[in-house]
Structures are given as structure tokens and as C-alpha cells.
């Protein structure tokens, strides 16, 4: 509908189990309200707020309250990713 947009979401680290699958390493496409923020996407996916620390929109570090545009690529990371 006109009141929703599609965004592409990829989850990393401890957030990956919240991907509905089947292939959790691939981005998923979500329809979200046109004025949605990254935080709202995290809520839709049931991401734990304490783990959802970093968000990148189109490969640029962003804030959870940044608004999304149609086709945006949203990557969520935990605060500690490493190895």
C-alpha cells in the first residue's frame, strides 16, 4: 500500500536468531509503515533492546530513531561483535 515501504534487513551476531529464516545469513525484506524508524523495525522483529546497539542504514552508521526510506538496507548489530 501507499502507507508502507519495503526495507531490507540483515541481522548480525546474537541478533541473528531473530531472523525468521530459513537462511538467516540473507537479508529479509520487510514492509513497514512509511514513517518507520530503525527502532520500529527492531520492535517488529522482536530484537532485544539491550542487544540492539548498532544500526547501519545503507552502510552508514545511524541511530535507532532515524527514519527509513523505501529500499533502505538496514543492518543491526549487537554492541560487541568480534573474534
Amino acid at each position: 500500500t501507499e502507507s508502507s515501504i519495503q526495507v531490507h534487513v540483515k541481522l548480525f551476531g546474537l541478533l541473528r536468531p531473530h531472523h525468521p529464516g530459513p537462511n538467516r545469513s540473507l537479508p529479509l525484506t520487510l514492509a513497514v509503515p512509511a514513517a518507520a524508524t530503525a527502532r520500529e523495525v527492531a520492535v517488529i522483529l522482536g530484537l532485544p533492546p539491550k542487544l540492539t546497539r548498532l544500526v547501519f542504514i545503507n552502510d552508514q552508521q545511524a541511530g535507532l530513531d532515524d527514519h527509513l526510506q523505501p529500499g533502505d538496507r538496514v543492518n543491526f548489530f549487537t554492541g560487541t561483535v568480534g573474534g
Side-chain angles (χ1 to χ4, degrees):
T1 67
E2 268 186 52
S3 61
S4 68
I5 61 171
Q6 285 194 338
V7 295
H8 309 285
V9 181
K10 191 162 183 183
L11 305 176
F12 293 86
L14 296 173
L15 300 174
R16 190 168 281 178
H18 295 276
H19 187 298
N23 187 340
R24 293 180 172 163
S25 65
L26 295 177
L28 63 127
T29 301
L30 287 180
V32 297
T37 63
R39 185 181 310 276
E40 290 173 274
V41 172
V43 169
I44 289 168
L45 291 172
L47 303 181
K50 289 183 178 183
L51 291 180
T52 310
R53 299 290 184 176
L54 296 172
V55 60
F56 284 74
I57 300 172
N58 300 323
D59 302 321
Q60 299 289 321
Q61 189 168 357
L64 285 168
D65 294 316
D66 287 1
H67 289 275
L68 302 173
Q69 301 297 318
D72 276 352
R73 294 180 324 276
V74 185
N75 296 331
F76 288 102
F77 296 86
T78 57
T80 55
V81 175

